[in-house]
Amino acid sequence: MSPSLVVIFGDIIMSLNIATLFAALPGNVAQGIIWGIMALGVYITFRLLDFADLSVDGSFATGGAVTVVLMLAGFNSGAALAIAFVAGVLAGLVTGVLHTCLGIPAILSGILTQIALYSVNLNIMGGKANTAISVDKFNLVISLRYIDKAIITACIFAAIVMALMYWYFGTEQGSAIRATGANPAMSKAQGINIDMMKVIALSISNGLVALSGGLIAQYQGFADINMGRGAIVIGLAAVIIGEVLGNAFFGKRMNFVLKLLFVVIGGILYYVIIGIVLWLKMPANDLKLFQAIVVAIFLAVPHIKNKRASSFGKAAKRGGIKNA
């Protein structure tokens, strides 16, 4: 390394303030939990249903837009979140109908819904790209101004969502959804209406995503037409990070409850990592690049791990053959 680079790197290190990092961590944790709720919705389609749903970016912004507009119209924050969830359910219903009734491939049906929701969200916000609400004028469920309370509130929401998911996917209908994702042909042979299961799963998934969008809108104090851009990447990152960590700690003992819990933990760790990247004073223009790198690293971990295990297995087998 040249002396000039050493000097530059040293100046960057000296300019960093560890107190600034710790001061930002509570905010990162709060956002991570809220986005973890969104990731639970992504988990339903990505892991349980085996459906690549790209409508998430649109339904997340829908949840934020509906929440803010309803609160400005006089609805209380809790009711606005409930209606935002319903709006997300309807968005997922559209994706499901496009796929099951019209035969449009999974990825394209999600993209079509996402594109349509951009105009829908603009209309919801009265043609504005950004609509704000003030913590001083509204009784928000969650706000970054009261960060300790925000973390507790986010944890309560996440716990309720995980409990409901654990209960629901243990019911007959929930089990049918899981069976549909695991083996559609066998599920259909067993008399399960797999098209209906897909529509239901997509509706629930996007409902949770929209609920998360409503929480984020209240947390940050505004809804933006682009607030859902890249949401699917964050959701997948949380799922993958959670799976990698969960398997590292529990391995084959990972049950459904732990999988849901580690999805939320994955969301927290993702935002902590992004917080560290920002603290290191990386260029803001490159933030999306760093996000993609973080996701790529965690996506590659299971593949590399399986590849190494397979290589060791083959080596042991060859050794056994030679010894024989």
Side-chain angles (χ1 to χ4, degrees), residues 1-320:
M1 185 179 293
S2 65
S4 59
L5 289 177
V6 172
V7 171
I8 293 173
F9 184 74
D11 290 339
I12 293 174
I13 295 297
M14 292 299 293
S15 66
L16 298 177
N17 186 348
I18 193 68
T20 303
L21 174 62
F22 283 108
L25 281 179
N28 294 330
V29 171
Q31 286 192 75
I33 298 171
I34 298 173
W35 282 91
I37 296 173
M38 186 276 296
L40 289 172
V42 173
Y43 180 81
I44 293 174
T45 52
F46 182 60
R47 281 298 184 227
L48 299 185
L49 192 62
D50 194 23
F51 188 103
D53 181 23
L54 299 183
S55 60
V56 168
D57 288 19
S59 56
F60 186 85
T62 299
V66 169
T67 298
V68 170
V69 169
L70 287 178
M71 291 184 66
L72 290 173
F75 285 74
N76 66 58
S77 55
L81 287 174
I83 298 174
F85 175 82
V86 174
V89 168
L90 293 175
L93 179 64
V94 171
T95 302
V97 169
L98 289 175
H99 176 62
T100 59
C101 297
L102 301 183
I104 299 174
I107 293 178
L108 290 180
S109 60
I111 292 174
L112 289 174
T113 303
Q114 179 191 136
I115 293 172
L117 284 175
Y118 186 89
S119 295
V120 171
N121 296 337
L122 275 177
N123 283 298
I124 290 174
M125 294 190 289
K128 300 177 182 178
N130 187 294
T131 305
I133 49 175
S134 173
V135 66
D136 298 319
K137 297 181 180 179
F138 298 93
N139 184 22
L140 304 179
V141 170
I142 189 169
S143 172
L144 58 80
R145 181 176 294 184
Y146 310 108
I147 193 65
D148 292 337
K149 181 181 177 183
I151 294 175
I152 295 172
T153 302
C155 285
I156 292 172
F157 268 92
I160 292 173
V161 170
M162 286 189 290
L164 289 175
M165 286 181 64
Y166 178 75
W167 165 78
Y168 175 73
F169 286 104
T171 64
E172 183 177 351
Q173 188 178 85
S175 299
I177 292 174
R178 296 169 72 175
T180 298
N183 193 328
M186 182 60 70
S187 299
K188 189 173 183 179
Q190 294 295 321
I192 296 174
N193 187 336
I194 60 174
D195 286 344
M196 180 62 69
M197 295 304 106
K198 290 180 180 179
V199 171
I200 293 174
L202 285 164
S203 298
I204 296 173
S205 171
N206 281 274
L208 291 177
V209 171
L211 173 64
S212 177
L215 287 170
I216 282 290
Q218 291 194 30
Y219 175 80
Q220 64 190 12
F222 66 91
D224 186 89
I225 191 64
N226 293 314
M227 64 185 290
R229 181 172 293 178
I232 184 63
V233 175
I234 298 174
L236 290 175
V239 172
I240 298 301
I241 292 172
E243 287 180 343
V244 170
L245 291 176
N247 288 328
F249 282 107
F250 293 97
K252 295 181 179 180
R253 293 176 295 164
M254 274 276 286
N255 55 31
F256 190 57
V257 174
L258 289 174
K259 288 179 180 178
L260 297 179
L261 176 61
F262 272 96
V263 168
V264 177
I265 293 174
I268 296 172
L269 289 178
Y270 176 83
Y271 263 89
V272 169
I273 293 171
I274 295 302
I276 293 173
V277 169
L278 294 174
W279 175 70
L280 291 173
K281 298 183 179 180
M282 298 296 183
N285 291 338
D286 296 334
L287 180 59
K288 293 294 183 182
L289 173 62
F290 292 126
Q291 290 178 335
I293 292 172
V294 170
V295 175
I297 291 172
F298 279 96
L299 281 172
V301 168
H303 173 73
I304 295 173
K305 185 178 179 181
N306 291 335
K307 193 172 182 180
R308 288 183 62 187
S310 177
S311 298
F312 285 133
K314 290 180 179 177
K317 188 176 181 180
R318 287 196 298 269

